[in-house]
Amino acid sequence: MHGENQGRGYDKGKLVDSEERLRILFEYAPDAYYLSDLMGNFVDGNRAAERLTGYSREELIGKSFLKLNLLSLDQIPKAATLLAQNALGKPTGPDEFSLNRKDGSAVFVEIRTYPVKLEGRTLVLGIANDITERKKAEEELRQIHKQVEFILGATKTGLDIIDSEFNMVYIDPEWQKVYGDHVGKKCYEYFAGRNSMCPACGISEALKTKKPVIAEEVLPKEGNRPIRVTTIPFQNEKGEWLVAEVNVDITQQKKTEEELKEGAQRLLTVIEVVEEGITFSDMEGHFEVFNSKMQEITGYTREEANKHGNFLALLYPDPEKRWQASRGIEEVFRRGVSCDIETTIRAKDGTQKTLLVSTSLVRYKNRDMLLSAYRDITKRKQMEEELRKQHGHLEELVKERTEALQKSEEKYRSIVETSQDGIWMIDTKDKMTFVNQRMMDMLGYGADEIMNASLLAFMDEESKAITVDVKSHGSKTTEQHELRFHRKDGSELWALVFMSLMFDKEGRISGVLGTATDITERKKAEEELKKAYDELRELDRMKDEFLATTSHGLKTPVTSIVSLTQLLNEELSGVANREQKEDLATILKESLRLKEMVDDILNMYRLESGIRMEMKDVQLEELIDNALSSMKPRADEKGVELAKELAGKLPKIRASYEDMQEVLMNLVDNALKFTPSGGRVTVGARREGSGIVAWVADTGAGIPESEHAKIFNKFCQVDSRLSRSSGGIGLGLAICKKIIDAHGGSIWMESGSGKGSTFYFRIKAIS
């Protein structure tokens, strides 16, 4: 018995210790622990519960959450439901509540409840976790999400997520407003209305390489709006590969690129008519611009210059001179400053030419490029050399042969006085020691006003500094500068001045010999040319808009006139007299001509606007048959034979069906237009390498060689009278070239006066 009592005492002690440990765990638990009855009255609570509610344990015990106003009215039904679950012996949670603390502040909590039996009573053990900071973070994330959605919508930037099977996983809300529900749809179906992958889609490549892919696409459902799509591969939490696409609107960029392209073309046209050789090249010596004047100066074409690979070696056979020219170019690249030099080259025909070369460094397409202007001064140099020889000869013989000096001086003066350039000499103190009549006329002063006067007195400050610098560095080469003088009447004189130092027998500088060419008008013309270029650019833009707007406006009424005229012609066929029928036929014919012109203008505007073509697999022979069938009535009426020549079975091509059909129709129509009765028009095609070459040949009068270079230009008409009588405005061949270029092909012609014409085009075949 004594032993049993000892054992019971030991067990009782252990229970007391265990209860104490549980009390400590309950009291100091980091989460709020509380006990309540099934009516919501607090029975107990730990320190964390006191901190969470702001009430002490004494204030909590015996009071319900209703009496303490811990919950707002709208949360009470939810709390009552949880207590009812506890009464049934079921735990609850986690559930979120907003508690009103004693000090009036609010705190968000997540509560779990468990029904427990204590001393024969069913109580509720509640565990509350403070989630206020988490709720704040979630709200901040919601605000950030709204901001991101706003930015994406404002910038027309779409965000989507797509899985490896092209299924839409996510679409940002702004884009969803445009395209609707994405669930269960493929991306190409959702965005483009297609049943297969888009041609420029980068999803497959991104998933294959596991690297971002950037591509440009258009959105058909938004009027072919152009976008740049950045496709980024990533893995989700399950290890599955998906892609996120960032779709940025590039409408303005495309418009700007097209304007720049047009501006560049007009600038190239201006470059071709200037009287100086112009080149535009990179650091490797590859020429992107090599105008006709440069070809005239050097004798080489741009293709020859680029093919050789080292154009300097052609111009400078002497290694020393070639090294000097290379060093000048390297200096421009290294220092980024303009360089003006005088140099002598050997042209293709072997002649030596002296040039003034002005080279500047420009930034183009993220590359350093050289813009150079070449002026041929060979004749001027010959004159300067002659003057220099005569001057030296006079100094040698001045003491020995006075008579010979006089004769030589007369010859010298004859050359100088008849020169179209102003010629002058100054001494080391800048005093004028000689000036010809042309120079006096240019400045407006007489000999008594200008002789022994300082040349610097007639210059502006910048020109004075240049002249002084020429004397100071003592170079024996001729220097060229554009200087500004003040005329006697107050006006400005711009002159292209060439200055050479003169030396006495001891090698000391004795003065400066200079020639001046009046370039005042050229300077004005350059300014006017710039102004005219800007005006032409604006006019060209207005013209394009006017043609497109006018053509759109004419299309509907012209179509109505044609339809009504055809209907009227049918209804009156049995009652109209011959004259009335002829009038109706004339109206119909002229209306159809006007409709063709409007259609051509609209088509050209469409092609120049860069609208994306719908490509498909096309059988070229089918297009040829369609063209011949459509044109047969016209050919029969004119008495021209139509023929087809195909070299075996042709592979298909990837092309726009309607646009390629128009190419063939335009070429056959053009051939019929210029082929007389009894002639023949042949349409043919053959396989050639990886492509197909098609042609349309006629037995007409042919096209003069002088017209070949511009035959594919807009509004070009070889015989304007025939074109007007046939209803053409010179857009048919230009449209053909635009379409073939858009397909990555090429188009050309072979013709001669009296030999007929053949128009060819080449397009890649499907393997």
Side-chain angles (χ1 to χ4, degrees), residues 182 334 656 718:
H182 67 282
R334 186 175 64 84
S656 165
V718 177

Side-chain angles (χ1 to χ4, degrees), residues 145 159-173 175-176 180-191 203 207 232 234-238 240-245 247:
H145 188 66
L159 182 65
D160 60 70
I161 297 176
I162 300 166
D163 67 17
S164 60
E165 298 298 325
F166 301 97
N167 296 306
M168 296 295 301
V169 176
Y170 169 81
I171 184 77
D172 74 72
W175 238 13
Q176 193 168 16
D181 186 19
H182 67 282
V183 177
K185 294 182 180 178
K186 302 288 187 180
C187 58
Y188 46 77
E189 173 191 4
Y190 185 66
F191 289 115
I203 294 176
L207 291 173
I232 306 168
F234 69 96
Q235 282 182 292
N236 61 14
E237 64 278 3
K238 298 179 181 179
E240 299 169 337
W241 280 96
L242 302 92
V243 295
E245 290 187 325
N247 307 274

Side-chain angles (χ1 to χ4, degrees), residues 354-365:
T354 303
L355 308 177
L356 283 173
V357 184
S358 178
T359 303
S360 300
L361 186 69
V362 296
R363 193 72 177 165
Y364 177 70
K365 293 183 178 179

